[in-house]
Amino acid sequence: DVIKNNPKVVAIMIGTNDVAQNDGVIADENYIDNVVAMCDQARANNIKVLLCSIPPCDLLGWNQAVKPGPEIIRLNKILKEYADATDGITYVDYFPVIGNGKDGLKDEFTTDRCHPTAEAYCEMERHIVKEIQKVLGTDKEYYVTPR
């Protein structure tokens, strides 16, 4: 769907549901293969890729057997290494923007320790717009979220 719209840049942020095991355990290889496939398709169509970190989450209220924080940090490290080693991909890290310095979201950005609030998404948007500006070489503000 993204490719047919011919954008200049795409942001890819996936993984929370995989970490949560909502559809069962997802092997690292499957997760990474899916990420690489999306990035490859975008790059093959001259679309710049912003590969975003999985947002912080330290509790899955619906699946407390899973401890998501360390797993998310581990997968984000893999994503960053992949982005850093691949032309046309920029890694966007949301941890410094909405994270609590540990494994989770800042209290003011969540009501359940996993899902970001609207204000958290506004902070994420401000952060990614700067990255969009860098990759496109523009200073245009693309904010679409009502303030």
Side-chain angles (χ1 to χ4, degrees), residues 87-103:
D87 288 335
I89 300 178
T90 299
Y91 183 71
V92 179
D93 188 1
Y94 289 127
F95 268 67
V97 178
I98 59 172
N100 64 9
K102 300 173 193 161
D103 294 349

Side-chain angles (χ1 to χ4, degrees), residues 28 31-32 51 73-83 91:
D28 281 1
Y31 172 75
I32 299 304
L51 185 55
I73 290 170
R74 186 181 69 76
L75 288 173
N76 281 342
K77 182 179 179 201
I78 293 170
L79 293 176
K80 182 175 183 346
E81 289 170 355
Y82 168 68
Y91 183 71

Side-chain angles (χ1 to χ4, degrees), residues 55-62 68-69 72 100 103-107 109-116:
C57 169
D58 64 0
L59 178 70
L60 300 167
W62 64 97
I72 289 171
N100 64 9
D103 294 349
L105 289 158
K106 292 178 183 174
D107 290 342
F109 291 142
T110 186
T111 59
D112 66 0
R113 296 177 45 191
C114 185
H115 294 94

Side-chain angles (χ1 to χ4, degrees), residues 26-70:
I26 306 296
D28 281 1
E29 301 81 38
N30 294 16
Y31 172 75
I32 299 304
D33 287 349
N34 289 335
V35 170
V36 169
M38 285 185 265
C39 292
D40 285 350
Q41 287 177 13
R43 292 171 54 237
N45 287 276
N46 298 312
I47 301 168
K48 296 177 191 295
V49 177
L50 297 176
L51 185 55
C52 303
S53 66
I54 304 169
C57 169
D58 64 0
L59 178 70
L60 300 167
W62 64 97
N63 188 355
Q64 293 186 22
V66 174
K67 305 300 178 207

